[in-house]
Amino acid sequence: PSPRACQPNGANEGALRCEIEELKQKDLALDQEIAQLLSEGYSLEELEKHISLLHEYNDIKDAGQMLLGKLAVIRGVTTKQLYPEYDLELSD
C-alpha cells in the first residue's frame, strides 16, 4: 500500500497497523534493492559510502539554496533570476 492508502480515520490502532505494514513493505523493497546491487558486484561499504556522500551533497545543496534565497530577498529578485549570474541550471 502507498502512504496515502493508510489515512487515519479515527481508528488509531488500524492506522498504526497499516503504517507498520507499509514500513515492512519498504524494508522488503530495500532489502531486494540491496541484494540486486550486491549481485551486480557492489560492496556494502561502497553503498554506505555512496549514501553518505549523497547526504553530504544534499546538505550542501540545501545550504546553497538557503543562501541563494537570502541573496534574492536582499536584492529584491527571485532565486530563478540569480541562476544565470552564478552559471546555475534550473535543474541544479
Side-chain angles (χ1 to χ4, degrees):
S2 70
R4 300 194 196 295
C6 295
Q7 295 296 326
N9 56 5
N12 287 339
E13 186 176 334
L16 288 175
R17 287 179 194 266
C18 192
E19 187 175 347
I20 289 169
E21 186 58 34
E22 286 177 359
L23 291 172
K24 286 180 181 178
Q25 292 298 321
K26 285 181 184 178
D27 185 48
L28 179 61
L30 288 172
D31 285 344
Q32 291 171 342
E33 190 175 341
I34 289 170
Q36 175 67 32
L37 290 168
L38 291 174
S39 74
E40 292 174 6
Y42 293 97
S43 69
L44 285 177
E45 294 81 19
E46 236 180 331
L47 296 173
E48 288 171 3
K49 179 68 175 172
H50 185 72
I51 290 169
S52 175
L53 289 171
L54 284 173
H55 283 295
E56 185 177 349
Y57 167 81
N58 284 331
D59 290 343
I60 292 168
K61 183 177 177 182
D62 289 346
Q65 289 292 328
M66 186 177 62
L67 290 172
L68 204 57
K70 289 181 183 277
L71 182 59
V73 169
I74 290 169
R75 291 189 182 177
V77 298
T78 66
T79 54
K80 183 178 177 180
Q81 291 171 310
L82 293 176
Y83 274 59
E85 184 177 338
Y86 295 99
D87 296 323
L88 298 172
E89 300 290 328
L90 287 177
S91 60
D92 288 341

